Amino acid sequence: MQIAGYTIVADYHTHTRHSHGRGSVVDNVEAAHRRGLHAVAITDHGPASLFHIGVPSLSAFDVIRQEVNAARKMYPGIEVLLGAEANVISEDGQLDIPLELQEKLDIVLVGLHPWVRWRPALKGASLVVGNFVGAWAGWGRRHVRERNTSAIVNAVLYNRVHAVTHPGYRLPIDTRALARACALTGCAMEINAGHDHTSVEYLQVARREGARFLLSSDAHTPGRVGEVSKAALLARAAGLTRREIVNVR
Ligand SMILES: [Zn+2]
Ligand SMILES: [Zn+2]
């Protein structure tokens, strides 16, 4: 799939009905196959997401695994990865996908999301409130940004994660500090086509630290699987080369 001069070969961030997407695993695989992708990942939200956005419990990944295996048989021409979009649930970088399960998944994405069951609950609640009040009134913004940054940086350093989803989306972070951690561990920074979370300037800050990038759709419907145009155009505007993007050939 050619977009903005890049050949996109994979979409590693898609949701199904197991979290808050609309289609099934097979629907997403079928859509990716139709778009000519070589690989697609099923990355439903971890169980700490509030308001039924995430999987109901970790056992959902057993069911998803079975559906991924069935989809592999139906579409042998495309690589299907079993994954998750984990939530950061503590400032020391703990995820709602435990390490034992991370080891069993083909790909682990990690994102900072505002509506999550944090641990410990009270400290987490102060961060949730801080993010809202900080964004709204500018109050304590720097302090909140530092706490968000340490949570996501620790998550990258102490887990087996392949990419950080939508860095900076709704929760301010220090892009340079995150990019350094990503460059160190080989974790990619996502450019998400579904959310306005970054800019040419931030991409250039991150690339100077040696971080690599991932273009993804964050599709919540099968029709959007592989739809990464917005992300590709931004990458092009920032002058990113093929070597700097993990799902481009
Ligand atoms: Zn997300
Ligand atoms: Zn997502």
Side-chain angles (χ1 to χ4, degrees):
M1 198 173 64
Q2 282 282 340
I3 305 175
Y6 300 115
T7 305
I8 318 284
V9 295
D11 187 353
Y12 292 127
H13 186 173
T14 76
H15 296 276
T16 72
R17 289 198 278 267
H18 288 285
S19 58
H20 69 148
R22 298 238 184 91
S24 67
V25 169
V26 173
D27 291 339
N28 283 14
V29 174
E30 197 269 328
H33 185 257
R34 200 160 11 93
R35 286 215 186 220
L37 295 177
H38 300 184
V40 63
I42 306 297
T43 54
D44 280 304
H45 289 284
S49 301
L50 296 169
F51 311 121
H52 306 289
I53 287 173
V55 295
S57 73
L58 289 176
S59 60
F61 289 100
D62 298 332
V63 182
I64 299 172
R65 176 185 299 280
Q66 289 170 11
E67 294 177 14
V68 162
N69 286 337
R72 284 172 178 157
K73 289 204 183 96
M74 288 167 75
Y75 295 93
I78 180 167
E79 189 187 3
V80 186
L81 282 75
L82 173 66
E85 182 178 11
N87 290 293
V88 184
I89 56 168
S90 76
E91 287 179 45
D92 53 12
Q94 208 184 336
L95 306 188
D96 63 349
I97 305 289
L99 274 167
E100 312 87 75
L101 180 53
Q102 292 174 31
E103 297 290 342
K104 291 182 189 147
L105 298 176
D106 303 316
I107 184 166
V108 181
L109 312 179
V110 62
L112 270 185
H113 295 100
W115 295 110
V116 164
R117 250 174 256 110
W118 283 81
R119 288 186 208 161
L122 203 61
K123 199 175 170 194
S126 79
L127 186 55
V128 172
V129 171
N131 270 301
F132 273 88
V133 178
W136 177 62
W139 170 82
R141 193 177 167 81
R142 214 171 106 195
H143 176 62
V144 164
R145 182 170 172 269
E146 275 167 20
R147 291 177 66 188
N148 290 338
T149 303
S150 63
I152 191 69
V153 165
N154 286 333
V156 166
L157 293 178
Y158 301 119
N159 293 280
R160 181 185 167 274
V161 292
H162 299 88
V164 174
T165 58
H166 45 69
Y169 175 60
R170 290 172 76 185
L171 306 177
I173 53 151
D174 178 342
T175 299
R176 184 172 285 117
L178 174 61
R180 264 185 214 143
C182 285
L184 199 68
T185 63
C187 180
M189 291 173 75
E190 181 188 56
I191 309 174
N192 186 305
H195 298 306
D196 283 317
H197 66 96
T198 192
S199 64
V200 166
E201 185 194 345
Y202 282 132
L203 295 179
Q204 284 168 346
V205 165
R207 104 191 273 204
R208 275 198 292 275
E209 300 302 325
R212 294 176 78 208
F213 301 88
L214 170 69
L215 311 181
S216 45
S217 68
D218 199 358
H220 286 71
T221 56
R224 293 201 60 86
V225 171
E227 180 43 67
V228 302
S229 314
K230 215 169 115 185
L233 289 167
L234 201 57
R236 177 57 66 202
L240 300 184
T241 65
R242 278 177 300 167
R243 281 166 204 274
E244 289 173 292
I245 306 175
V246 296
N247 59 328
V248 152
R249 198 176 276 164

